[in-house]
Amino acid sequence: MTRSALLVGATGLVGGQLLARLLRDPHYDRLTVLARRPPTVEHPRLDVRVVDFDALKPADVPAVDDVYGALGTTIRKAGTQQAFRTVDQHYTVEVARMAHATGARRIAVVSSVGAASASRNFYLRVKGDMEEEVDAVGYEQVELFRPSFILGPREERRTAERVGMALATLVAPVLVGPAQPYRPVPAGRLAAAMIAALARGTGGTAVRTYADVVALTPQ
């Protein structure tokens, strides 16, 4: 049986990978993208809807089977902590709620290693709050992916992040045991793991770290 999917964050690093892979996936006959600006991709199975996430309406969100969330920004780009929370938490949760109301039953979302609503770190606290709210919506299957550094080309320059990725890649071989979740992961492999996780249709809530990404995408 073919399925339909909804994707938010399609113009980002992981979202772009999800977009390309979902359009190639024979299990999906329709992919709807909600975005502030349309991706530079055309496909007969692609439905692009340019929306204002600050004023998202139920009519913007069609009935689908699966939801993929890859929205994300930085505090520097957002301008304030509250603006960052709006994008990384509130937009994701609102889309999840509206999609569920129209019939979606499975969702996979990009979060972050170390995400926890009780964290002293603001970034990780926002990610943890987002996870809890998404999980509370009522989906039959919730896949929360917690990558560390995500490898791949980005549109904007993030000097500190590039340095961090370089260091993480260098020390990756010694990141074992409790440190394994901090290994960097290519954006394409993360996207493939998200699709594979929902394809299993196991139900329940799962928190996925580096080891799960590897297990879901054997090479």
Side-chain angles (χ1 to χ4, degrees), residues 27 58 93 142 196:
H27 296 100
V93 173
V142 179

Side-chain angles (χ1 to χ4, degrees), residues 57-155:
K57 304 180 296 294
D60 295 326
V61 183
V64 297
D65 299 297
D66 301 338
V67 179
Y68 292 89
L71 284 171
T73 185
T74 63
I75 296 177
R76 180 178 180 181
K77 185 175 181 180
T80 65
Q81 287 188 337
Q82 184 55 46
F84 170 79
R85 183 183 286 276
T86 295
V87 175
D88 278 51
Q89 179 184 347
H90 299 322
Y91 288 172
T92 298
V93 173
E94 189 65 11
V95 169
R97 287 172 175 163
M98 288 189 179
H100 184 265
T102 63
R105 293 294 175 263
R106 307 192 300 188
I107 186 169
V109 178
V110 180
S111 182
S112 171
V113 64
S117 59
S119 176
R120 293 183 179 180
N121 179 282
F122 176 77
Y123 176 86
L124 299 180
R125 189 163 65 251
V126 169
K127 292 297 187 181
D129 289 343
M130 179 273 291
E131 289 185 356
E132 289 187 0
E133 289 196 64
V134 168
D135 191 36
V137 171
Y139 281 85
E140 294 174 3
Q141 182 177 356
V142 179
E143 299 285 344
L144 303 171
F145 280 80
R146 292 181 177 179
S148 179
F149 289 105
I150 303 174
L151 305 177
R154 287 177 169 81
E155 290 185 359

